[in-house]
Each structure stands twice: as C-alpha cells, then as structure tokens.
Amino acid sequence: MATVRGAKLLILVGDGGDPEAFAHPCSINAERGLAFAAETRNNNEPNCEDPEAIPWATTEKSGKSGTITGSGTLNAADQDLFFDWFDSPDSKNVIVVTNITGANGGRKYEGAWHCTQFEITGNVGETCQCRITLASDGTISKSNNT
C-alpha cells in the first residue's frame, strides 16, 4: 500500500517571476487539504412509451473546481503574502505535490488559484494561528511527481 505523510503534502506558491519559482509558505505547517468538486445540472428524461410515468432524473457535470486549504502557526513573514494575495484581483500559480512512498509515486496538481480567505487567530499565552483557503481559477492539471 502506498501512503502519504501529511508533511509531504506541499502547497507551493509561485512568485510570478520568469522563470517562476515556487515555495511552500512556512505558515502552512499543520493542516493541508486539496479538494475537487463538480457542479451538476439535473434533467428529466421523458418516458416516450408512457408519458404519464414519472421521469428518471439524469445528471450531467456543468463545471469543475478545486479548493486548497492550509493552516498552522503563523510565520510573520507570510502575512504580507497572504493578505496581498487576498486583496488582489489576480490569481497566483500553485503546485500541490503529494510525495507518496511506494510503487505508484506522487502526483502534482498545477493551476491558478485565488486566495479567498485569510484568517489570523490567537489566544492569550499562545502563538497566532492562520488559515487560508484558495479557489481554483481555470484548469487544474495532474501529472506524475517524479
């Protein structure tokens, strides 16, 4: 069985340079997540032999999207990156890497993403925590991480 350690799920954010460099923000040091969703549209399929019969509903995909989440202890240097990204109308290129041990190897998911949430929380006597949410902006590609 091929497994993935949580620390090996990396969210690499592009710097917009040419060539573009990617780095994993230090503040994403606890929870990391990548989720895909499909929007659907339902239609009723008529029964031509029995028009009074209740039709079966059919479902077709009408759109796809992805969401990235990350959280952890706030690294002060990441505050400007996350807030400026949240404040900007532009998306950034992101690569999510799964470094899987075993025969199947890892995967890379690449695409443009908007920062839709940036949250900082803190309790007296503890360090500040942060949470980010990214929403895909167009196509996400998948390739082997070799």
Side-chain angles (χ1 to χ4, degrees), residues 81-106:
L81 166 71
F82 293 145
F83 182 81
D84 292 347
W85 191 2
F86 168 79
D87 198 38
S88 172
D90 299 323
S91 55
K92 287 185 174 285
N93 292 324
V94 174
I95 300 172
V96 178
V97 178
T98 60
N99 286 327
I100 299 174
T101 59
N104 292 330

Side-chain angles (χ1 to χ4, degrees), residues 5 12 15 28-29 33 43 45 51 60 62 83 89 100 142-143:
R5 296 193 46 80
L12 307 170
D15 64 2
I28 304 173
N29 52 55
N43 301 297
E45 187 175 295
E60 62 184 3
S62 59
F83 182 81
I100 299 174
K142 178 189 78 162
S143 61

Side-chain angles (χ1 to χ4, degrees), residues 57-142:
T58 60
T59 304
E60 62 184 3
K61 291 180 182 175
S62 59
K64 299 182 287 186
S65 64
T67 302
I68 295 172
T69 56
S71 67
T73 302
L74 178 65
N75 175 25
D78 290 338
Q79 291 180 88
D80 288 341
L81 166 71
F82 293 145
F83 182 81
D84 292 347
W85 191 2
F86 168 79
D87 198 38
S88 172
D90 299 323
S91 55
K92 287 185 174 285
N93 292 324
V94 174
I95 300 172
V96 178
V97 178
T98 60
N99 286 327
I100 299 174
T101 59
N104 292 330
R107 301 289 181 269
K108 287 193 313 188
Y109 301 90
E110 301 181 60
W113 301 77
H114 285 284
C115 181
T116 58
Q117 178 189 18
F118 172 46
E119 176 182 351
I120 300 174
T121 59
N123 296 314
V124 175
E126 298 177 4
T127 57
C128 285
Q129 301 295 303
C130 79
R131 173 175 296 281
I132 64 161
T133 303
L134 310 178
S136 62
D137 182 18
T139 302
I140 301 166
S141 64
K142 178 189 78 162

